[in-house]
């Protein structure tokens, strides 16, 4: 599945964090997942990360380069190695 994403996610766009969802863990920790907003061709899309994590911290309004699958905008990868190394 990840191999397919690496092949298919080719469209680079800047996404902005518009929401951060939180979930409590069994050990009283907090894990989060970002919701991104991207604009492409005059349309606005909201894309959410598939996973909750505590390995990467995002902030409201933060800009992040992502690689989208032009056929399916729900599939994306982080363009920056800083995020890929921690999430892949």
């Amino acid at each position: 599945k990840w191999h397919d994403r690496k092949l298919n996610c080719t469209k680079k766009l800047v996404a902005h964090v518009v929401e951060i969802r939180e979930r409590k863990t069994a050990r009283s920790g907090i894990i989060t997942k970002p919701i991104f907003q991207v604009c492409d061709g005059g349309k606005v899309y909201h894309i959410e990360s598939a996973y909750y994590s505590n390995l990467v911290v995002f902030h409201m309004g933060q800009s992040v380069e992502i690689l989208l699958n032009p056929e399916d905008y729900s599939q994306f990868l982080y363009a920056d190695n800083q995020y890929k190394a921690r999430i892949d």
Side-chain angles (χ1 to χ4, degrees), residues 68-83:
L68 287 167
N69 178 343
E71 302 295 320
D72 180 0
Y73 273 29
S74 69
Q75 293 183 359
F76 74 94
L77 295 171
Y78 297 102
D80 187 335
N81 285 331
Q82 169 185 342
Y83 303 117

Side-chain angles (χ1 to χ4, degrees), residues 7-55:
L7 292 175
N8 297 330
C9 295
T10 57
K11 186 170 196 166
K12 186 182 270 190
L13 292 172
V14 175
H16 304 282
V17 178
V18 294
E19 182 182 346
I20 298 173
R21 295 192 182 155
E22 293 184 350
R23 185 179 283 176
K24 290 184 180 180
T25 66
R27 295 183 182 195
S28 300
I30 300 284
I31 52 178
T32 62
K33 78 173 180 176
I35 310 299
F36 298 106
Q37 178 177 300
V38 295
C39 297
D40 185 37
K43 293 184 180 179
V44 176
Y45 300 90
H46 288 90
I47 303 164
E48 69 180 70
S49 176
Y51 304 102
Y52 284 84
S53 174
N54 64 356
L55 299 176

